[in-house]
Amino acid sequence: MHPNLGPSSESSSTQPRRLPVNPRRHKVAPEQRKRVVRACNACNVRRVRCSGELPCQRCCKTGRECEYPAEPDKHSLKDELERLRKRCAALEKGLQAAAPEEAAELIGQLDDGRPGPTFTGAGTATAPSFRSVSTELNPADTNGGRLLFDPDGTLRYFGETSGATFLDHLKQFMLALVPLTFQPESGDGSSFVATIGHYQTYDSRPIPNPDVDPLWLPARYEMIPMLAELRDYIQDGNGDFPSGGWGDLSNPPTPTATSVSLSAMTTDDSHRYLAFFHVCFALATCVGHSVFRHSDQHAGEAYFKRARMLVGNPLDTVRFTLGDVPVLALMGFYLIELNRRDAAYVYVSLAIHIAYIHGAFRSCVDEASKRTFWTLYILDRWLSVLMGRPPTIADEAIRLPLPSDTPNMPPCTGLRAHVELSRISGYIVCETFKIAPRIDKPGYSTLNIDKALRMLDEWKSQLPSGLAIGESTDPVCCTLHMARNQLIVLTTRPILLAAVKQAVAERYMNGQWSAQQHAHGSYISACMEAGYRNLVLAQRLRTARKLLQAGLHFVFNAAVILLLNQILVSSNNNKALGVLHTDMYASEIHFAIHTFEEASKTGTSYPRDCHRVLQDLRALVNRYLSHGHGIFERGHHPAHASSTQELHNATQRQKETQATPSNMNDSDSLHQEMMTWIQSDGLQLHNKLLL
């Protein structure tokens, strides 16, 4: 800058200067200046200035009718936005009040731009994300369960919590696994994979109908030990955790010298009380010592037939009272022990409806009746888990208080804990596996799994100190904790099975797989640990008495889980998922198989069927493990052959190691199925290709 020039000089030389105002322009005072916001229609059409009055000056001069357009609502969009905001807030508040657990997920889906549930005219929700899958599959495969054939060819429905449904998923997987470990000289496991779509049950056979006298009773010296045996198993007033409420089992009835005709019994209820003792004798002969069955008339089916005759026609509701509820519940218990689960499902449902009729779900006259109702509730929830079907009792309908301690009755601590655990099992069946959801949101998901596992952990943490498992060998306490472990198993085992499939596919197609990298490793670990704990508890329980049907069920499911774990975790990766070395499970698996081998010598066909399944499954697993965990050179699997010659060469190489199927026509479909195994995380139960 030049020293003689100041800033004003520089700016005046560089910036354009404003011209002076034209002196001829008429100056209008500010107060007289007027800006017209709207022009009338006539001025607007002619594109001339309008004075804005009504009528305007131009229309007055020309004599035209002066009209203005309708004034727009300046606040219409703003008001509409505010109205929609208020409505959205009200709907979110209502959703959170109706379904607090699901609200966060559904709102999050909408915020993220993911499709939420859509509602039909009937008010039920459907998930659009599943519609594309459903249209591609058989509808029978998208209902969250399976229709399986019994030995007589009758289809029966089983939900996802049913062991029969899980075994059918497992059979389909093993059917694909068998060709990969093909051994022409071996037929081990063939009977297991040959029963896809079928299951074994006693319900397909008629209930024995012996010719009996309903008023006949065994001698008093025979009744006393039978009732004592039953009291020992149900811990009616004995054991570390005594229960009670079924009735007086300490005083057997007096044998009658004469009998009456069946027609007389339908009108005279004086002998009806004997039905309770007959079903108790039936249970004693079923779970007790074989000495109680020294003749046909002392057999369990004979006692059960007498109880049925004394109770009468179940459709004759006029004759049924609350006193019949314990009888029907015990009859359901007896049928469970015979592995007649469908029949037990019907008897327990009948007992519940009789209790409904007499208002027992709201109030009971005494503590014994209250405990009987809650025991019936436990049986109903147990059968719901076994069959994967909706429970008969709805939690929302029950107003009856929980059992309470009463003089002259055993403590109620154990029964209350079992009721709370049964409530959790109802959530798992209805909500986690979507058999009867309150809101039809997307099914089996991490949200429901986490909530179920959290509920089970809270249940355990809130147990009274007297019910802690510790080193206790009390049968009821052990069975209670085994029931909790079983709920963990059935909640997480779909993910475990998907991980096993993924491991097999990765090893065959890519040559390696790491269990530690699985996205849902915590669920897999929880599943295997629960199965291991149940086998440990079962070994402890067997030192006290033989296992009842529930205990055998827990052992079988735990053994299946540990057998699958042998496929999942290789011997050189024994720390994967934080579980024990697979070799350490060998003793527990052997215990389970030996348990069913011993139980199959007496009793129903259930232990024999379980023994055969575990033997076949172990043979298939050992066959897989004997082939180096399926690790082959990448690209040498027949599914990777891109030409006839390559397919022939791959076939020859695999035949030399006896590790490829004799029929190569299905290699492409097997490759595609393996690809679905790799992509699956086990959370999409509705797609049969993923399970």
Side-chain angles (χ1 to χ4, degrees), residues 373-381 393 395 398 422-423:
F373 178 87
W374 283 116
T375 303
L376 187 63
Y377 174 90
I378 294 170
L379 284 177
D380 179 60
R381 287 298 189 271
I393 303 178
D395 284 326
I398 300 176
S422 298
R423 283 177 174 167

Side-chain angles (χ1 to χ4, degrees), residues 504-526:
V504 170
E506 289 281 5
R507 287 166 182 163
Y508 273 94
M509 302 182 71
N510 301 322
Q512 59 183 354
W513 186 79
S514 175
Q516 294 174 326
Q517 297 177 359
H518 196 277
H520 302 299
S522 60
Y523 298 147
I524 299 171
S525 178

Side-chain angles (χ1 to χ4, degrees), residues 235-510:
Q235 296 192 207
D236 183 63
N238 60 340
D240 294 338
F241 304 103
S243 60
W246 287 109
D248 187 4
L249 297 176
S250 60
N251 186 21
T254 302
T256 57
T258 60
S259 62
V260 296
S261 65
L262 181 61
S263 59
M265 284 190 299
T266 58
T267 57
D268 182 11
D269 289 339
S270 59
H271 302 289
R272 193 177 180 85
Y273 75 99
L274 293 179
F276 173 77
F277 290 99
H278 279 304
V279 71
C280 288
F281 298 150
L283 269 171
T285 57
C286 178
V287 303
H289 199 275
S290 59
V291 70
F292 300 142
R293 301 183 293 272
H294 54 265
S295 70
D296 291 341
Q297 65 180 353
H298 293 83
E301 53 266 23
Y303 286 120
F304 187 78
K305 172 67 179 300
R306 296 185 185 100
R308 283 196 306 164
M309 294 176 66
L310 290 166
V311 168
N313 182 5
L315 299 180
D316 187 6
T317 57
V318 176
R319 299 182 65 225
F320 281 88
T321 66
L322 280 177
D324 296 311
V325 172
V327 179
L328 294 169
L330 284 172
M331 293 173 83
F333 185 14
Y334 171 76
L335 291 169
I336 290 175
E337 292 304 312
L338 294 184
N339 196 36
R340 293 181 174 272
R341 298 176 181 179
D342 279 329
Y345 191 71
V346 173
Y347 272 85
V348 170
S349 298
L350 176 61
I352 291 171
H353 283 95
I354 293 174
Y356 277 161
I357 292 173
H358 295 277
F361 64 100
R362 289 184 172 271
S363 64
C364 289
V365 294
D366 53 24
E367 181 65 21
S369 300
K370 185 196 302 181
R371 295 191 182 191
T372 298
F373 178 87
W374 283 116
T375 303
L376 187 63
Y377 174 90
I378 294 170
L379 284 177
D380 179 60
R381 287 298 189 271
W382 167 241
L383 286 168
S384 175
V385 170
L386 281 180
M387 316 297 284
R389 299 171 185 167
T392 307
I393 303 178
D395 284 326
E396 294 78 7
I398 300 176
R399 299 292 184 269
L400 187 69
L402 288 174
S404 57
D405 288 330
T406 305
N408 302 323
M409 292 196 73
C412 65
T413 306
L415 183 58
R416 289 174 66 102
H418 211 153
V419 170
E420 295 296 344
L421 187 63
S422 298
R423 283 177 174 167
I424 300 174
S425 72
Y427 172 84
I428 293 172
V429 173
C430 296
E431 299 293 341
T432 304
F433 287 93
K434 314 308 293 178
I435 192 63
R438 290 184 293 117
I439 296 180
D440 193 10
K441 63 179 183 179
Y444 188 72
S445 64
T446 56
L447 180 70
N448 286 332
I449 297 172
D450 289 337
K451 181 175 180 179
L453 296 179
R454 185 172 63 251
M455 293 168 70
L456 291 170
D457 287 341
E458 292 174 354
W459 175 88
K460 184 178 180 180
S461 65
Q462 295 173 4
L463 279 178
S465 57
L467 289 178
I469 187 61
E471 298 298 325
S472 173
T473 58
D474 183 83
V476 169
C477 187
C478 288
T479 304
L480 187 65
H481 285 267
M482 290 176 72
R484 172 186 175 269
N485 292 332
Q486 173 63 17
L487 291 177
I488 296 175
V489 167
L490 66 87
T491 300
T492 55
R493 68 186 178 187
I495 293 178
L496 172 63
L497 180 57
V500 172
K501 292 180 177 182
Q502 191 178 58
V504 170
E506 289 281 5
R507 287 166 182 163
Y508 273 94
M509 302 182 71
N510 301 322

Side-chain angles (χ1 to χ4, degrees), residues 507 513-516 568-577:
R507 287 166 182 163
W513 186 79
S514 175
Q516 294 174 326
L568 183 68
V569 184
S570 61
S571 59
N572 59 359
N573 191 23
N574 52 36
K575 298 296 184 181
L577 300 176

Side-chain angles (χ1 to χ4, degrees), residues 508-509 632-641 646 650 653-654:
Y508 273 94
M509 302 182 71
F632 298 105
E633 183 179 353
R634 187 173 182 178
H636 282 184
H637 190 274
H640 295 146
E646 291 178 4
R653 285 194 298 268
Q654 301 290 3

